[in-house]
Amino acid sequence: MLFGVLALIVALSASPSPAAAHPHVWITAKSQILYAPDGTITGVRHAWTFDDMFSTYALQGFEPKVKGAYSHEELAPLAQTNVESLKEFGFFTFAKADGSKQRFLEPVDYFLDYKDSLLTLHFTLPAKTPFKARQLQLEVFDRAFFIDFKYVETDPVTLVGAPAACRMQFQRPNDGTASAQKLGEQNFLGGEGGNFGMMFANKITVDCP
């Protein structure tokens, strides 16, 4: 059976303890901000590695040709299901150009990798309208904190094709897991934690003079 990101999260959140507190899914992330030769921002490319429990759950029912190995082709239906489920959540990616909100189109160039028992989802979010910005503000997070996004330590975010004068700053969130666990599942179901994840957004700022 194929499960999208949303279906997996719902299933995990409905399970008994110890999955009774947020977050339910952990993602280790890397991102690239994509530029055209004229300095226009054209999109964002993500690579999200899921935790071992999520990866194992997602692969239930899959029978690879080679035991313990999954090709891009074999994982293609699951990759499609996952990216299609992201739209409802704004792709967990929120951008502002000089203070104005920017939108993204459906993911393209997506595929799943399987390595060291973990699944990694690769995909590109094209900007709905490519844009220039003296300051780009990009945030990656889950508003409801079902998913905890943690960026890799080395080169978590890179600029691809950006003008030489552009400078980037990356701000990691504090660890909100302990606070989320104190709220408990009922707080989130009741709406009290609906925007909890905003406190733990990964914040990327790019200034281009």
Side-chain angles (χ1 to χ4, degrees):
M1 182 180 296
L2 298 180
F3 294 90
V5 170
L6 175 60
L8 281 163
I9 292 171
V10 170
L12 290 171
S13 65
S15 62
S17 296
H22 288 229
H24 298 295
V25 178
W26 288 262
I27 287 177
T28 303
K30 292 184 69 173
S31 297
Q32 296 177 322
I33 301 173
L34 310 178
Y35 288 77
D38 66 352
T40 300
I41 298 170
T42 60
V44 178
R45 183 182 297 133
H46 290 307
W48 293 349
T49 300
F50 299 101
D51 64 81
D52 54 353
M53 182 172 69
F54 186 99
S55 297
T56 299
Y57 194 82
L59 291 171
Q60 287 184 350
F62 276 82
E63 294 294 338
K65 293 180 180 179
V66 179
K67 186 176 181 180
Y70 297 84
S71 68
H72 290 178
E73 291 74 19
E74 289 172 320
L75 293 174
L78 181 59
Q80 181 178 353
T81 302
N82 282 337
V83 296
E84 288 176 350
S85 74
L86 293 175
K87 185 176 182 179
E88 181 180 350
F89 306 98
F91 311 108
F92 302 112
T93 305
F94 309 94
K96 288 184 178 180
D98 298 326
S100 298
K101 290 183 179 180
Q102 301 298 314
R103 305 294 182 185
F104 295 102
L105 298 175
E106 303 284 344
V108 298
D109 301 331
Y110 55 82
F111 62 94
L112 276 166
D113 269 338
Y114 182 76
K115 183 179 180 181
D116 299 329
S117 300
L118 301 177
L119 284 171
T120 299
L121 178 65
H122 302 260
F123 65 99
T124 298
L125 290 175
K128 184 175 182 179
T129 303
F131 58 91
K132 288 187 177 181
R134 292 181 62 86
Q135 185 178 80
L136 169 68
Q137 294 175 307
L138 188 71
E139 296 185 340
V140 177
F141 67 98
D142 175 15
R143 294 182 185 277
F145 205 52
F146 279 105
I147 301 173
D148 183 11
F149 288 91
K150 180 179 180 180
Y151 272 74
V152 297
E153 293 297 328
T154 303
D155 297 328
V157 182
T158 55
L159 307 182
V160 178
C166 293
R167 295 292 179 265
M168 183 190 67
Q169 292 184 334
F170 176 61
Q171 180 182 345
R172 298 178 185 276
N174 295 320
D175 183 4
T177 303
S179 298
Q181 290 175 341
K182 290 179 181 178
L183 283 179
E185 190 70 29
Q186 292 305 313
N187 297 90
F188 285 89
L189 294 176
E192 298 174 34
N195 291 316
F196 188 86
M198 296 179 68
M199 299 171 57
F200 305 100
N202 297 273
K203 299 181 179 181
I204 303 151
T205 304
V206 184
D207 292 296
C208 295

